mmCIF file with all atom_site columns, all heavy atoms in Angstrom:
data_model
loop_
_atom_site.group_PDB
_atom_site.id
_atom_site.type_symbol
_atom_site.label_atom_id
_atom_site.label_alt_id
_atom_site.label_comp_id
_atom_site.label_asym_id
_atom_site.label_entity_id
_atom_site.label_seq_id
_atom_site.pdbx_PDB_ins_code
_atom_site.Cartn_x
_atom_site.Cartn_y
_atom_site.Cartn_z
_atom_site.occupancy
_atom_site.B_iso_or_equiv
_atom_site.pdbx_formal_charge
_atom_site.auth_seq_id
_atom_site.auth_comp_id
_atom_site.auth_asym_id
_atom_site.auth_atom_id
_atom_site.pdbx_PDB_model_num
ATOM 1   N N   . ILE A 1 1  ? 59.064 -79.527 -20.502 1.00 0.00 ? 1  ILE A N   1
ATOM 2   C CA  . ILE A 1 1  ? 57.884 -78.774 -20.074 1.00 0.00 ? 1  ILE A CA  1
ATOM 3   C C   . ILE A 1 1  ? 57.577 -77.657 -21.066 1.00 0.00 ? 1  ILE A C   1
ATOM 4   O O   . ILE A 1 1  ? 56.428 -77.456 -21.452 1.00 0.00 ? 1  ILE A O   1
ATOM 5   C CB  . ILE A 1 1  ? 58.090 -78.213 -18.648 1.00 0.00 ? 1  ILE A CB  1
ATOM 6   C CG1 . ILE A 1 1  ? 58.078 -79.365 -17.643 1.00 0.00 ? 1  ILE A CG1 1
ATOM 7   C CG2 . ILE A 1 1  ? 57.034 -77.168 -18.301 1.00 0.00 ? 1  ILE A CG2 1
ATOM 8   C CD1 . ILE A 1 1  ? 58.560 -78.987 -16.260 1.00 0.00 ? 1  ILE A CD1 1
ATOM 9   N N   . ILE A 1 2  ? 58.603 -76.948 -21.494 1.00 0.00 ? 2  ILE A N   1
ATOM 10  C CA  . ILE A 1 2  ? 58.392 -75.862 -22.461 1.00 0.00 ? 2  ILE A CA  1
ATOM 11  C C   . ILE A 1 2  ? 57.884 -76.429 -23.779 1.00 0.00 ? 2  ILE A C   1
ATOM 12  O O   . ILE A 1 2  ? 56.940 -75.900 -24.370 1.00 0.00 ? 2  ILE A O   1
ATOM 13  C CB  . ILE A 1 2  ? 59.684 -75.059 -22.675 1.00 0.00 ? 2  ILE A CB  1
ATOM 14  C CG1 . ILE A 1 2  ? 60.018 -74.283 -21.400 1.00 0.00 ? 2  ILE A CG1 1
ATOM 15  C CG2 . ILE A 1 2  ? 59.547 -74.104 -23.860 1.00 0.00 ? 2  ILE A CG2 1
ATOM 16  C CD1 . ILE A 1 2  ? 61.391 -73.653 -21.414 1.00 0.00 ? 2  ILE A CD1 1
ATOM 17  N N   . THR A 1 3  ? 58.483 -77.516 -24.245 1.00 0.00 ? 3  THR A N   1
ATOM 18  C CA  . THR A 1 3  ? 58.074 -78.118 -25.514 1.00 0.00 ? 3  THR A CA  1
ATOM 19  C C   . THR A 1 3  ? 56.635 -78.593 -25.449 1.00 0.00 ? 3  THR A C   1
ATOM 20  O O   . THR A 1 3  ? 55.853 -78.347 -26.364 1.00 0.00 ? 3  THR A O   1
ATOM 21  C CB  . THR A 1 3  ? 59.011 -79.285 -25.886 1.00 0.00 ? 3  THR A CB  1
ATOM 22  O OG1 . THR A 1 3  ? 60.337 -78.780 -25.988 1.00 0.00 ? 3  THR A OG1 1
ATOM 23  C CG2 . THR A 1 3  ? 58.603 -79.920 -27.198 1.00 0.00 ? 3  THR A CG2 1
ATOM 24  N N   . VAL A 1 4  ? 56.255 -79.271 -24.364 1.00 0.00 ? 4  VAL A N   1
ATOM 25  C CA  . VAL A 1 4  ? 54.881 -79.748 -24.221 1.00 0.00 ? 4  VAL A CA  1
ATOM 26  C C   . VAL A 1 4  ? 53.925 -78.560 -24.197 1.00 0.00 ? 4  VAL A C   1
ATOM 27  O O   . VAL A 1 4  ? 52.874 -78.578 -24.833 1.00 0.00 ? 4  VAL A O   1
ATOM 28  C CB  . VAL A 1 4  ? 54.727 -80.617 -22.951 1.00 0.00 ? 4  VAL A CB  1
ATOM 29  C CG1 . VAL A 1 4  ? 53.264 -80.882 -22.634 1.00 0.00 ? 4  VAL A CG1 1
ATOM 30  C CG2 . VAL A 1 4  ? 55.476 -81.925 -23.132 1.00 0.00 ? 4  VAL A CG2 1
ATOM 31  N N   . GLY A 1 5  ? 54.308 -77.510 -23.491 1.00 0.00 ? 5  GLY A N   1
ATOM 32  C CA  . GLY A 1 5  ? 53.470 -76.308 -23.460 1.00 0.00 ? 5  GLY A CA  1
ATOM 33  C C   . GLY A 1 5  ? 53.317 -75.682 -24.831 1.00 0.00 ? 5  GLY A C   1
ATOM 34  O O   . GLY A 1 5  ? 52.231 -75.253 -25.220 1.00 0.00 ? 5  GLY A O   1
ATOM 35  N N   . VAL A 1 6  ? 54.405 -75.640 -25.587 1.00 0.00 ? 6  VAL A N   1
ATOM 36  C CA  . VAL A 1 6  ? 54.368 -75.085 -26.943 1.00 0.00 ? 6  VAL A CA  1
ATOM 37  C C   . VAL A 1 6  ? 53.471 -75.933 -27.828 1.00 0.00 ? 6  VAL A C   1
ATOM 38  O O   . VAL A 1 6  ? 52.618 -75.438 -28.551 1.00 0.00 ? 6  VAL A O   1
ATOM 39  C CB  . VAL A 1 6  ? 55.793 -74.979 -27.540 1.00 0.00 ? 6  VAL A CB  1
ATOM 40  C CG1 . VAL A 1 6  ? 55.746 -74.761 -29.037 1.00 0.00 ? 6  VAL A CG1 1
ATOM 41  C CG2 . VAL A 1 6  ? 56.560 -73.860 -26.866 1.00 0.00 ? 6  VAL A CG2 1
ATOM 42  N N   . LEU A 1 7  ? 53.633 -77.255 -27.747 1.00 0.00 ? 7  LEU A N   1
ATOM 43  C CA  . LEU A 1 7  ? 52.844 -78.150 -28.589 1.00 0.00 ? 7  LEU A CA  1
ATOM 44  C C   . LEU A 1 7  ? 51.384 -78.191 -28.166 1.00 0.00 ? 7  LEU A C   1
ATOM 45  O O   . LEU A 1 7  ? 50.496 -78.328 -29.005 1.00 0.00 ? 7  LEU A O   1
ATOM 46  C CB  . LEU A 1 7  ? 53.448 -79.554 -28.581 1.00 0.00 ? 7  LEU A CB  1
ATOM 47  C CG  . LEU A 1 7  ? 54.830 -79.662 -29.216 1.00 0.00 ? 7  LEU A CG  1
ATOM 48  C CD1 . LEU A 1 7  ? 55.363 -81.079 -29.080 1.00 0.00 ? 7  LEU A CD1 1
ATOM 49  C CD2 . LEU A 1 7  ? 54.795 -79.235 -30.673 1.00 0.00 ? 7  LEU A CD2 1
ATOM 50  N N   . ALA A 1 8  ? 51.113 -78.064 -26.872 1.00 0.00 ? 8  ALA A N   1
ATOM 51  C CA  . ALA A 1 8  ? 49.743 -78.082 -26.382 1.00 0.00 ? 8  ALA A CA  1
ATOM 52  C C   . ALA A 1 8  ? 48.944 -76.914 -26.954 1.00 0.00 ? 8  ALA A C   1
ATOM 53  O O   . ALA A 1 8  ? 47.757 -77.042 -27.247 1.00 0.00 ? 8  ALA A O   1
ATOM 54  C CB  . ALA A 1 8  ? 49.713 -78.042 -24.866 1.00 0.00 ? 8  ALA A CB  1
ATOM 55  N N   . GLY A 1 9  ? 49.608 -75.797 -27.127 1.00 0.00 ? 9  GLY A N   1
ATOM 56  C CA  . GLY A 1 9  ? 48.920 -74.638 -27.688 1.00 0.00 ? 9  GLY A CA  1
ATOM 57  C C   . GLY A 1 9  ? 48.906 -74.618 -29.203 1.00 0.00 ? 9  GLY A C   1
ATOM 58  O O   . GLY A 1 9  ? 48.328 -73.723 -29.806 1.00 0.00 ? 9  GLY A O   1
ATOM 59  N N   . ALA A 1 10 ? 49.521 -75.603 -29.833 1.00 0.00 ? 10 ALA A N   1
ATOM 60  C CA  . ALA A 1 10 ? 49.655 -75.597 -31.287 1.00 0.00 ? 10 ALA A CA  1
ATOM 61  C C   . ALA A 1 10 ? 48.324 -75.625 -32.009 1.00 0.00 ? 10 ALA A C   1
ATOM 62  O O   . ALA A 1 10 ? 48.115 -74.894 -32.973 1.00 0.00 ? 10 ALA A O   1
ATOM 63  C CB  . ALA A 1 10 ? 50.532 -76.757 -31.754 1.00 0.00 ? 10 ALA A CB  1
ATOM 64  N N   . SER A 1 11 ? 47.392 -76.460 -31.555 1.00 0.00 ? 11 SER A N   1
ATOM 65  C CA  . SER A 1 11 ? 46.113 -76.548 -32.261 1.00 0.00 ? 11 SER A CA  1
ATOM 66  C C   . SER A 1 11 ? 45.343 -75.244 -32.162 1.00 0.00 ? 11 SER A C   1
ATOM 67  O O   . SER A 1 11 ? 44.752 -74.775 -33.134 1.00 0.00 ? 11 SER A O   1
ATOM 68  C CB  . SER A 1 11 ? 45.280 -77.714 -31.731 1.00 0.00 ? 11 SER A CB  1
ATOM 69  O OG  . SER A 1 11 ? 44.993 -77.518 -30.365 1.00 0.00 ? 11 SER A OG  1
ATOM 70  N N   . THR A 1 12 ? 45.359 -74.627 -30.990 1.00 0.00 ? 12 THR A N   1
ATOM 71  C CA  . THR A 1 12 ? 44.701 -73.338 -30.821 1.00 0.00 ? 12 THR A CA  1
ATOM 72  C C   . THR A 1 12 ? 45.393 -72.277 -31.663 1.00 0.00 ? 12 THR A C   1
ATOM 73  O O   . THR A 1 12 ? 44.744 -71.462 -32.319 1.00 0.00 ? 12 THR A O   1
ATOM 74  C CB  . THR A 1 12 ? 44.743 -72.915 -29.341 1.00 0.00 ? 12 THR A CB  1
ATOM 75  O OG1 . THR A 1 12 ? 44.164 -73.942 -28.557 1.00 0.00 ? 12 THR A OG1 1
ATOM 76  C CG2 . THR A 1 12 ? 44.009 -71.623 -29.119 1.00 0.00 ? 12 THR A CG2 1
ATOM 77  N N   . ARG A 1 13 ? 46.728 -72.304 -31.685 1.00 0.00 ? 13 ARG A N   1
ATOM 78  C CA  . ARG A 1 13 ? 47.496 -71.326 -32.442 1.00 0.00 ? 13 ARG A CA  1
ATOM 79  C C   . ARG A 1 13 ? 47.288 -71.483 -33.938 1.00 0.00 ? 13 ARG A C   1
ATOM 80  O O   . ARG A 1 13 ? 47.280 -70.504 -34.656 1.00 0.00 ? 13 ARG A O   1
ATOM 81  C CB  . ARG A 1 13 ? 48.983 -71.440 -32.121 1.00 0.00 ? 13 ARG A CB  1
ATOM 82  C CG  . ARG A 1 13 ? 49.339 -71.082 -30.720 1.00 0.00 ? 13 ARG A CG  1
ATOM 83  C CD  . ARG A 1 13 ? 49.280 -69.606 -30.544 1.00 0.00 ? 13 ARG A CD  1
ATOM 84  N NE  . ARG A 1 13 ? 49.722 -69.263 -29.214 1.00 0.00 ? 13 ARG A NE  1
ATOM 85  C CZ  . ARG A 1 13 ? 49.905 -68.048 -28.811 1.00 0.00 ? 13 ARG A CZ  1
ATOM 86  N NH1 . ARG A 1 13 ? 49.693 -67.039 -29.604 1.00 0.00 ? 13 ARG A NH1 1
ATOM 87  N NH2 . ARG A 1 13 ? 50.298 -67.811 -27.588 1.00 0.00 ? 13 ARG A NH2 1
ATOM 88  N N   . CYS A 1 14 ? 47.157 -72.741 -34.409 1.00 0.00 ? 14 CYS A N   1
ATOM 89  C CA  . CYS A 1 14 ? 46.960 -72.949 -35.850 1.00 0.00 ? 14 CYS A CA  1
ATOM 90  C C   . CYS A 1 14 ? 45.692 -72.243 -36.321 1.00 0.00 ? 14 CYS A C   1
ATOM 91  O O   . CYS A 1 14 ? 45.679 -71.599 -37.360 1.00 0.00 ? 14 CYS A O   1
ATOM 92  C CB  . CYS A 1 14 ? 46.894 -74.440 -36.180 1.00 0.00 ? 14 CYS A CB  1
ATOM 93  S SG  . CYS A 1 14 ? 48.498 -75.245 -36.078 1.00 0.00 ? 14 CYS A SG  1
ATOM 94  N N   . ALA A 1 15 ? 44.634 -72.364 -35.551 1.00 0.00 ? 15 ALA A N   1
ATOM 95  C CA  . ALA A 1 15 ? 43.394 -71.688 -35.908 1.00 0.00 ? 15 ALA A CA  1
ATOM 96  C C   . ALA A 1 15 ? 43.579 -70.173 -35.837 1.00 0.00 ? 15 ALA A C   1
ATOM 97  O O   . ALA A 1 15 ? 43.078 -69.429 -36.673 1.00 0.00 ? 15 ALA A O   1
ATOM 98  C CB  . ALA A 1 15 ? 42.269 -72.120 -34.977 1.00 0.00 ? 15 ALA A CB  1
ATOM 99  N N   . ALA A 1 16 ? 44.326 -69.724 -34.843 1.00 0.00 ? 16 ALA A N   1
ATOM 100 C CA  . ALA A 1 16 ? 44.545 -68.298 -34.667 1.00 0.00 ? 16 ALA A CA  1
ATOM 101 C C   . ALA A 1 16 ? 45.453 -67.719 -35.743 1.00 0.00 ? 16 ALA A C   1
ATOM 102 O O   . ALA A 1 16 ? 45.373 -66.537 -36.057 1.00 0.00 ? 16 ALA A O   1
ATOM 103 C CB  . ALA A 1 16 ? 45.145 -68.027 -33.292 1.00 0.00 ? 16 ALA A CB  1
ATOM 104 N N   . GLN A 1 17 ? 46.316 -68.541 -36.330 1.00 0.00 ? 17 GLN A N   1
ATOM 105 C CA  . GLN A 1 17 ? 47.235 -68.056 -37.350 1.00 0.00 ? 17 GLN A CA  1
ATOM 106 C C   . GLN A 1 17 ? 46.496 -67.475 -38.548 1.00 0.00 ? 17 GLN A C   1
ATOM 107 O O   . GLN A 1 17 ? 46.966 -66.547 -39.184 1.00 0.00 ? 17 GLN A O   1
ATOM 108 C CB  . GLN A 1 17 ? 48.167 -69.176 -37.825 1.00 0.00 ? 17 GLN A CB  1
ATOM 109 C CG  . GLN A 1 17 ? 49.228 -69.542 -36.822 1.00 0.00 ? 17 GLN A CG  1
ATOM 110 C CD  . GLN A 1 17 ? 50.042 -68.334 -36.421 1.00 0.00 ? 17 GLN A CD  1
ATOM 111 O OE1 . GLN A 1 17 ? 50.655 -67.691 -37.250 1.00 0.00 ? 17 GLN A OE1 1
ATOM 112 N NE2 . GLN A 1 17 ? 50.048 -68.025 -35.139 1.00 0.00 ? 17 GLN A NE2 1
ATOM 113 N N   . ALA A 1 18 ? 45.350 -68.028 -38.852 1.00 0.00 ? 18 ALA A N   1
ATOM 114 C CA  . ALA A 1 18 ? 44.577 -67.535 -39.981 1.00 0.00 ? 18 ALA A CA  1
ATOM 115 C C   . ALA A 1 18 ? 44.175 -66.079 -39.767 1.00 0.00 ? 18 ALA A C   1
ATOM 116 O O   . ALA A 1 18 ? 43.972 -65.342 -40.716 1.00 0.00 ? 18 ALA A O   1
ATOM 117 C CB  . ALA A 1 18 ? 43.346 -68.403 -40.190 1.00 0.00 ? 18 ALA A CB  1
ATOM 118 N N   . THR A 1 19 ? 44.076 -65.672 -38.508 1.00 0.00 ? 19 THR A N   1
ATOM 119 C CA  . THR A 1 19 ? 43.688 -64.298 -38.217 1.00 0.00 ? 19 THR A CA  1
ATOM 120 C C   . THR A 1 19 ? 44.887 -63.418 -37.878 1.00 0.00 ? 19 THR A C   1
ATOM 121 O O   . THR A 1 19 ? 44.723 -62.277 -37.477 1.00 0.00 ? 19 THR A O   1
ATOM 122 C CB  . THR A 1 19 ? 42.683 -64.268 -37.045 1.00 0.00 ? 19 THR A CB  1
ATOM 123 O OG1 . THR A 1 19 ? 43.316 -64.827 -35.886 1.00 0.00 ? 19 THR A OG1 1
ATOM 124 C CG2 . THR A 1 19 ? 41.431 -65.039 -37.378 1.00 0.00 ? 19 THR A CG2 1
ATOM 125 N N   . GLY A 1 20 ? 46.097 -63.950 -38.000 1.00 0.00 ? 20 GLY A N   1
ATOM 126 C CA  . GLY A 1 20 ? 47.291 -63.147 -37.760 1.00 0.00 ? 20 GLY A CA  1
ATOM 127 C C   . GLY A 1 20 ? 47.680 -63.034 -36.300 1.00 0.00 ? 20 GLY A C   1
ATOM 128 O O   . GLY A 1 20 ? 48.272 -62.046 -35.900 1.00 0.00 ? 20 GLY A O   1
ATOM 129 N N   . ALA A 1 21 ? 47.359 -64.052 -35.495 1.00 0.00 ? 21 ALA A N   1
ATOM 130 C CA  . ALA A 1 21 ? 47.689 -64.018 -34.071 1.00 0.00 ? 21 ALA A CA  1
ATOM 131 C C   . ALA A 1 21 ? 49.188 -64.227 -33.847 1.00 0.00 ? 21 ALA A C   1
ATOM 132 O O   . ALA A 1 21 ? 49.921 -64.605 -34.753 1.00 0.00 ? 21 ALA A O   1
ATOM 133 C CB  . ALA A 1 21 ? 46.891 -65.088 -33.333 1.00 0.00 ? 21 ALA A CB  1
ATOM 134 N N   . GLU A 1 22 ? 49.612 -64.015 -32.619 1.00 0.00 ? 22 GLU A N   1
ATOM 135 C CA  . GLU A 1 22 ? 51.020 -64.137 -32.260 1.00 0.00 ? 22 GLU A CA  1
ATOM 136 C C   . GLU A 1 22 ? 51.469 -65.595 -32.239 1.00 0.00 ? 22 GLU A C   1
ATOM 137 O O   . GLU A 1 22 ? 50.665 -66.495 -32.024 1.00 0.00 ? 22 GLU A O   1
ATOM 138 C CB  . GLU A 1 22 ? 51.246 -63.513 -30.887 1.00 0.00 ? 22 GLU A CB  1
ATOM 139 C CG  . GLU A 1 22 ? 50.968 -62.030 -30.882 1.00 0.00 ? 22 GLU A CG  1
ATOM 140 C CD  . GLU A 1 22 ? 51.090 -61.409 -29.504 1.00 0.00 ? 22 GLU A CD  1
ATOM 141 O OE1 . GLU A 1 22 ? 50.978 -62.132 -28.491 1.00 0.00 ? 22 GLU A OE1 1
ATOM 142 O OE2 . GLU A 1 22 ? 51.300 -60.194 -29.445 1.00 0.00 ? 22 GLU A OE2 1
ATOM 143 N N   . VAL A 1 23 ? 52.775 -65.797 -32.460 1.00 0.00 ? 23 VAL A N   1
ATOM 144 C CA  . VAL A 1 23 ? 53.392 -67.122 -32.411 1.00 0.00 ? 23 VAL A CA  1
ATOM 145 C C   . VAL A 1 23 ? 54.570 -67.048 -31.447 1.00 0.00 ? 23 VAL A C   1
ATOM 146 O O   . VAL A 1 23 ? 55.342 -66.093 -31.467 1.00 0.00 ? 23 VAL A O   1
ATOM 147 C CB  . VAL A 1 23 ? 53.898 -67.572 -33.802 1.00 0.00 ? 23 VAL A CB  1
ATOM 148 C CG1 . VAL A 1 23 ? 54.489 -68.967 -33.739 1.00 0.00 ? 23 VAL A CG1 1
ATOM 149 C CG2 . VAL A 1 23 ? 52.789 -67.502 -34.831 1.00 0.00 ? 23 VAL A CG2 1
ATOM 150 N N   . VAL A 1 24 ? 54.708 -68.064 -30.591 1.00 0.00 ? 24 VAL A N   1
ATOM 151 C CA  . VAL A 1 24 ? 55.799 -68.122 -29.628 1.00 0.00 ? 24 VAL A CA  1
ATOM 152 C C   . VAL A 1 24 ? 56.872 -69.069 -30.158 1.00 0.00 ? 24 VAL A C   1
ATOM 153 O O   . VAL A 1 24 ? 56.568 -70.171 -30.621 1.00 0.00 ? 24 VAL A O   1
ATOM 154 C CB  . VAL A 1 24 ? 55.299 -68.609 -28.248 1.00 0.00 ? 24 VAL A CB  1
ATOM 155 C CG1 . VAL A 1 24 ? 56.441 -68.695 -27.251 1.00 0.00 ? 24 VAL A CG1 1
ATOM 156 C CG2 . VAL A 1 24 ? 54.204 -67.692 -27.727 1.00 0.00 ? 24 VAL A CG2 1
#
């Protein structure tokens, strides 16, 4: 469940990484 949750947010996080957003 944790892994799926982490991976589900990956695409959103990848875009956010360009702006320096947080990573879990």
Side-chain angles (χ1 to χ4, degrees):
I1 290 168
I2 292 170
T3 301
V4 168
V6 165
L7 294 177
S11 62
T12 304
R13 294 286 184 173
C14 287
Q17 287 305 301
T19 61
E22 296 176 338
V23 182
V24 179

